[in-house]
């Protein structure tokens, strides 16, 4: 899978990104992370920080955080 979304269950910003990906029919995999920042080593490894959501697009070599940035990327790049 070339698109991976790192998300926390119950996170409203993660849900917005999930909804946008689903709305545009984009195939992706979700990596669910722990509620405690100390449990998010994988997120830190891929993005340099522990906050979610984080979107990784392996095909385009893009890793980004901040839901607003991700939503813009989905609209401009992935949904195009």
């Amino acid at each position: 899978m070339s698109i991976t979304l790192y998300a926390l269950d119950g996170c409203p910003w993660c849900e917005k990104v999930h909804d946008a990906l689903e709305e545009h029919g984009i195939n992706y995999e979700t990596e669910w992370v722990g509620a405690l920042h100390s449990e998010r080593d994988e997120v830190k490894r891929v993005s340099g920080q522990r906050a979610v959501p984080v979107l990784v697009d392996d095909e385009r070599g893009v890793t980004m955080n901040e839901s607003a940035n991700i939503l813009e990327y989905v609209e401009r790049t992935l949904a195009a």
Side-chain angles (χ1 to χ4, degrees), residues 6 37 40-51 54:
Y6 289 85
H37 281 150
R40 299 183 190 172
D41 291 340
E42 179 69 9
V43 176
K44 183 166 174 63
R45 185 186 67 73
V46 299
S47 70
Q49 49 85 48
R50 295 181 190 268
V54 170

Side-chain angles (χ1 to χ4, degrees), residues 23 52 57:
E23 176 182 318
V52 290
D57 181 347

Side-chain angles (χ1 to χ4, degrees), residues 5 15-30 74:
L5 174 64
E15 286 296 320
K16 287 182 181 191
V17 173
H18 166 79
D19 290 348
L21 292 166
E22 291 289 322
E23 176 182 318
H24 293 293
I26 298 165
N27 291 325
Y28 68 100
E29 180 179 318
T30 302
V74 168

